Amino acid sequence: MITLALSKGRIYDDSLPLLRAAGVEVLEDPESSRKLILATSRADLRVVLVRATDVPTYVQHGGADIGVAGLDVLLEHDSTGLYRPLDLRIARCRMSVATRDDFDYAAAVRQGSRIRVATKYTHTARQFFADKGVHVDLIKLYGSMELAPLTGLADAIVDLVSTGSTLKANHLVEVEKIMDISSRLVVNQAALKLKREPIRALIEAFEAAVAEGVRR
Ligand code: PRT
Ligand code: MG
């Protein structure tokens, strides 16, 4: 049996067409059933639904053999025991710095001021600002980063942006892109040895689907 870890929402939705192209149908709809383990059209393959940030943990510790996780999540997570063979090019967005529209980020950077930055992505943010030589005080948050500059908790946030409408609705502006983000296939290194053939075949099928440009 091969266990594939996915998170509900955009990663699940964007993974379905890739699975379909690889000849796999998921037999239950996670929105209508409350099941966390979903059977597929292949008797030897099942899907487990976990929180997006828990996907690397499941795969790392063998709770799943393979999984799909955002680069944002992977960069914050220890990669021991994880093999990352493929960019699936799904759930795409960018990680950016945003501030209130009345905050002069360029001037703060130029003057070498300490900038208070709220984010869920402390590891990536620390690295990014260190590379730029910008002094920051990082404030770890677990959600609703957009609120931080509006309440005076922080001068800036590091968050994911796709359409930009969340920032706009909160009078925030994107002042610098850190990196492009997409979801990656992650594989448990031990499983890759023990179940080499079926996992190899699955990776290759995904690879072919990505190369063909299969999207939702
Ligand atoms: O929601 P939950 O707390 O359960 O977990 P999660 O937020 O980690 O999961 P989910 O499903 O929301 O995101 C899973 C993955 O999708 C992330 O790890 C990213 O790799 C990817 N992804 C792609 C995004 C976005 N686009 C995205 N726009 N994840 C989050 N967002 C959020 C962003 O944080 C911001 O709040 O959407 C908002 C901005 O969107 P726009 O369109 O208004 O710019
Ligand atoms: Mg979310």
Side-chain angles (χ1 to χ4, degrees):
M1 175 67 77
I2 298 176
T3 302
L4 166 67
L6 297 175
S7 55
K8 255 194 197 180
R10 52 194 121 216
I11 287 187
Y12 181 84
D13 296 343
D14 286 5
S15 294
L16 278 192
L18 292 175
L19 281 167
R20 205 165 287 141
V24 179
E25 290 289 338
V26 182
L27 301 178
E28 277 136 327
D29 176 6
E31 296 306 326
S32 57
S33 94
R34 287 173 178 270
K35 288 191 183 163
L36 297 175
I37 301 181
L38 310 176
T40 74
S41 54
R42 268 179 54 178
D44 67 336
L45 178 68
R46 62 180 185 173
V47 169
V48 293
L49 296 175
V50 304
R51 281 291 290 267
T53 44
D54 290 336
V55 167
T57 308
Y58 266 81
V59 175
Q60 202 163 33
H61 298 286
D65 300 302
I66 189 165
V68 177
L71 180 61
D72 50 314
V73 167
L74 292 172
L75 291 176
E76 294 294 314
H77 201 277
D78 157 43
S79 64
T80 314
L82 282 182
Y83 171 57
R84 229 167 77 182
L86 187 60
D87 181 355
L88 296 171
R89 306 176 63 78
I90 60 170
R92 289 162 86 167
C93 58
R94 55 192 184 274
M95 190 182 289
S96 292
V97 184
T99 67
R100 267 169 58 158
D101 49 18
D102 58 2
F103 181 81
D104 194 343
Y105 175 73
V109 168
R110 205 169 342 110
Q111 291 158 9
S113 323
R114 274 197 102 77
I115 303 176
R116 293 169 305 146
V117 180
T119 186
K120 186 164 144 184
Y121 307 103
T122 46
H123 189 82
T124 311
R126 181 170 294 113
Q127 188 72 52
F128 173 74
F129 289 112
D131 289 348
K132 276 175 68 82
V134 173
H135 299 289
V136 291
D137 289 321
L138 289 171
I139 302 166
K140 170 84 181 186
L141 290 178
Y142 293 88
S144 302
M145 264 92 81
E146 300 84 7
L147 196 56
L150 306 179
T151 54
L153 178 69
D155 304 310
I157 59 173
V158 167
D159 196 6
L160 303 179
V161 183
S162 53
T163 62
S165 53
T166 305
L167 292 181
K168 201 166 173 195
N170 291 294
H171 308 286
L172 299 175
V173 287
E174 191 177 355
V175 291
E176 191 167 17
K177 180 169 101 171
I178 297 179
M179 67 177 80
D180 288 312
I181 298 287
S182 58
S183 288
R184 314 295 162 113
L185 208 59
V186 284
V187 182
N188 176 287
Q189 275 172 353
L192 187 61
K193 288 191 192 115
L194 294 168
K195 308 177 187 177
R196 184 160 190 95
E197 281 321 309
I199 289 181
R200 270 273 142 230
L202 202 55
I203 295 171
E204 275 162 28
F206 274 124
E207 226 157 29
V210 173
E212 267 173 46
V214 173
R215 292 271 179 73
R216 190 144 64 113

